[in-house]
Amino acid sequence: MPVIVVANPKGGVGKSTLATNVAGWLARRGHAVMLGDADRQQSARQWLQQRPAQVPRIAGWDIDADHLAKPPKGTTHVVLDTPAGLRGKRLDAVMKLADKVLVPLQPSLFDIQATHAFLRELAAHARADAVAVGLVGMRIKEHTHANLHLHEFVATLPFPLIGDLRDTQNYVHLAARGLSLWDIAPGRVERDLAQWQPLIEWIER
């Protein structure tokens, strides 16, 4: 049972956006998906509460970030949205479960600095060799200095940048209705679906 963790110690970088859309894609593929929310803001749980009955079901997982238990039987895929400040024992608990870790990044100096320290901690973790880590650029505006600096920073890291997701209100509008990109007509979000293709390929490996 694959466990995909979305993590970054910096708040407001798009963890819940990434986690809910990963869960939405897995559910659309017919998997029995469980979305866990260890974040104090409970954004993923609120998203699930808004989710319409006619779209593929995603189960919620009430968890304590300090005591992560195994998911219930019948679950085929788990996505875990983690809190800001994920370090120490909480990070250890998450890494024991994780098969893959997605780290969302935004092109700002403060996000880059906070993420740099976190990535060093991931690289030094005892399970580093057993867990695949991939970086995802969030709210990216193409052809900007900030985006250029983000890619220069990523080039110095031991983990790959597996995709960039553009700055668009599509994610905001969908989140408010408990939806993912895969719950609406593809033609409405064609550009965004294309940006997700490298992420999907990485997750499926």
Side-chain angles (χ1 to χ4, degrees):
M1 176 184 59
V3 177
I4 302 167
V5 172
V6 181
N8 188 319
K10 179 79 167 53
V13 294
K15 290 190 292 289
S16 295
T17 295
L18 197 54
T20 53
N21 278 277
V22 169
W25 170 71
L26 290 168
R28 178 57 63 180
R29 297 273 291 178
H31 298 300
V33 184
M34 181 157 282
L35 177 60
D37 193 344
D39 193 347
R40 292 185 184 90
Q41 293 183 353
Q42 296 292 292
S43 300
R45 182 181 297 180
Q46 292 169 15
W47 179 81
L48 283 174
Q49 291 172 350
Q50 298 297 321
R51 193 159 173 80
Q54 66 268 26
V55 297
R57 182 177 181 271
I58 299 171
W61 186 22
D62 294 327
I63 54 176
D64 182 333
D66 292 321
H67 302 92
L68 293 176
K70 290 184 178 180
K73 290 183 179 179
T75 304
T76 63
H77 292 71
V78 172
V79 181
L80 181 59
D81 187 11
T82 61
L86 184 68
R87 295 183 180 87
K89 292 182 178 179
R90 285 188 171 186
L91 178 60
D92 288 340
V94 165
M95 289 293 283
K96 286 178 182 178
L97 284 177
D99 295 295
K100 295 178 183 286
V101 176
L102 286 170
V103 182
L105 295 168
Q106 286 195 72
S108 79
L109 176 63
F110 299 118
D111 289 338
I112 287 172
Q113 288 176 336
T115 305
H116 196 191
F118 177 63
L119 292 173
R120 287 200 305 268
E121 190 171 1
L122 282 183
H125 197 274
R127 290 205 72 230
D129 291 339
V131 179
V133 178
L135 313 178
V136 182
M138 304 293 291
R139 302 185 186 126
I140 297 299
K141 295 181 180 179
E142 296 178 350
H143 312 301
T144 62
H145 288 296
N147 188 30
L148 176 62
H149 292 157
L150 176 64
H151 282 77
E152 289 174 346
F153 164 66
V154 167
T156 69
L157 300 174
F159 303 117
L161 179 69
I162 58 176
D164 283 335
L165 304 183
R166 69 190 181 110
D167 188 12
T168 172
Q169 287 295 298
N170 286 345
Y171 292 108
V172 177
H173 296 320
L174 290 170
R177 297 157 54 199
L179 298 174
S180 73
L181 293 172
W182 290 271
D183 297 318
I184 62 173
R188 294 173 56 186
V189 288
E190 186 175 2
R191 185 177 173 189
D192 299 304
L193 292 175
Q195 288 190 321
W196 270 83
Q197 193 56 42
L199 278 73
I200 289 170
E201 292 173 359
W202 184 85
I203 291 170
E204 287 186 320
R205 287 177 200 152

